[in-house]
Amino acid sequence: MTHYVDGFLLPIAPEKLQEYQKMANQAGAVWKEHGAIAYWECVGDDLDIQDMTSFRTAAGCKDNETVVIAWIIYPSREERDRINALVMADPRLKDMCDENNPPFDFKRMAYGGFKSIVCHQ
């Protein structure tokens, strides 16, 4: 079975992590309610691997920041488009964070949609 995946990579200051986690938990519930198969948010733990590009570098972290990597799994790209339209129109999403003091800089978040090529479940 093939799926479609939205992936996210973002830098975040540790003091904003608890606020972000609360927001992400609420967002995950909204995505799942509208039909997403799975919703994951993970914070960096073991990021400085010798001789490899660091996720901190890829995310453009400042010295005091760590990384969140996240993904949402959908049945297909068509379902992703349908679900995301519902999510973006859901008033609960708009009320999750203070636009004047967000938990991270949305402009520094990397985002993209991905086709599955291997899936072991």
Side-chain angles (χ1 to χ4, degrees), residues 16 19 97-104 106:
K16 294 283 193 167
E19 177 186 353
C97 82
D98 179 358
E99 290 181 21
N100 297 317
N101 188 26
F104 69 97
F106 289 95

Side-chain angles (χ1 to χ4, degrees), residues 104-116:
F104 69 97
D105 183 353
F106 289 95
K107 292 180 181 179
R108 293 173 53 215
M109 175 178 69
Y111 163 77
F114 298 84
K115 295 179 196 176
S116 297

Side-chain angles (χ1 to χ4, degrees), residues 76-95:
S76 65
R77 182 171 180 179
E78 294 76 23
E79 277 297 286
R80 177 268 229 149
D81 293 345
R82 183 190 70 77
I83 291 165
N84 279 349
L86 293 171
V87 169
M88 292 302 134
D90 193 306
R92 294 173 293 176
L93 196 67
K94 293 178 179 125
D95 295 337

Side-chain angles (χ1 to χ4, degrees), residues 41-81:
E41 297 261 1
C42 305
V43 65
D45 179 56
D46 186 14
L47 299 176
D48 300 313
I49 311 303
Q50 187 174 358
D51 299 324
M52 295 189 151
T53 301
S54 164
F55 270 96
R56 290 181 213 274
T57 300
C61 285
K62 297 175 183 172
D63 288 340
N64 65 332
E65 293 177 324
T66 189
V67 174
V68 167
I69 187 167
W71 58 95
I72 307 169
I73 301 174
Y74 308 91
S76 65
R77 182 171 180 179
E78 294 76 23
E79 277 297 286
R80 177 268 229 149
D81 293 345

